[in-house]
Amino acid sequence: MMPDAQPVLSRHRLPRRYRVALVILWSLPLVLLLLALIISRGPSLALLDPRLLLPALLMLLPVWYVWQEGVDVLPRGIVARVHRARFYDFAALCGWRYDAHPERRVLTIWDCERRIVLECRAAHLTEFAALLANLERGIARQGEGCETPTDDAAAR
């Protein structure tokens, strides 16, 4: 369930230059297709045909996904925008761990049922230190009745 009108304290997305590059990469085939159609037949109403527009819109779905993917921090929890937006109240989150090993640098967040609710690499999010500070404030390292999985369990 999404939260009711809470202010966003911080947004953490893929760095802008990478998001822009991915948007261009995913949009380029559609632009080339439309450009080829316009050059070969000239601008016409045929470009508005649903048989062309529906596949064109499907081609833009990855662009939308890449642009919105990330984590939003709210006063009462986080919104993880991975595949679809999901709100996790801080009370339902039990622990988190940041593996700072240079080859990994992975942030993992668990709920109280010991399920991984978010796992992402530090390089994939902007203002990562601010995200860690917000998690530190919002999630107790060892909540009551909740155990953070061990390193072995987190590695699986």
Side-chain angles (χ1 to χ4, degrees):
M1 185 168 105
M2 293 303 287
D4 299 327
Q6 291 186 50
V8 176
L9 300 178
S10 62
R11 293 188 190 278
H12 309 278
R13 303 279 188 266
L14 191 63
R16 188 171 199 75
R17 66 177 183 239
Y18 296 119
R19 282 193 302 157
V20 169
L22 286 169
V23 164
I24 291 169
L25 178 72
W26 279 101
S27 302
L28 194 57
L30 179 61
V31 170
L32 291 175
L33 174 68
L34 292 176
L35 191 61
L37 286 172
I38 290 171
I39 290 171
S40 68
R41 299 177 186 227
S44 70
L45 291 176
L47 294 174
L48 300 177
D49 189 339
R51 293 174 292 178
L52 176 65
L53 288 180
L54 277 144
L57 289 175
L58 285 175
M59 290 173 74
L60 291 177
L61 279 177
V63 171
W64 172 78
Y65 172 76
V66 163
W67 198 258
Q68 63 89 34
E69 181 184 42
V71 179
D72 295 340
V73 179
L74 308 176
R76 288 191 352 226
I78 62 171
V79 176
R81 298 179 186 280
V82 180
H83 304 299
R84 63 185 171 102
R86 292 183 208 114
F87 174 72
Y88 297 103
D89 198 316
F90 283 134
L93 298 175
C94 209
W96 63 276
R97 177 176 179 267
Y98 174 54
D99 182 357
H101 190 273
E103 292 179 11
R104 290 186 286 274
R105 295 203 273 193
V106 175
L107 170 67
T108 307
I109 303 173
W110 295 276
D111 64 6
C112 289
E113 296 173 9
R114 299 181 70 169
R115 291 181 301 195
I116 294 176
V117 296
L118 179 66
E119 189 169 63
C120 57
R121 296 196 175 271
H124 294 178
L125 297 175
T126 56
E127 300 177 24
F128 190 72
L131 175 60
L132 293 180
N134 284 320
L135 288 175
E136 187 72 41
R137 276 193 302 269
I139 304 173
R141 285 276 188 171
Q142 297 284 333
E144 288 184 29
C146 244
E147 290 183 22
T148 303
T150 63
D151 290 354
D152 293 336
R156 283 184 255 161

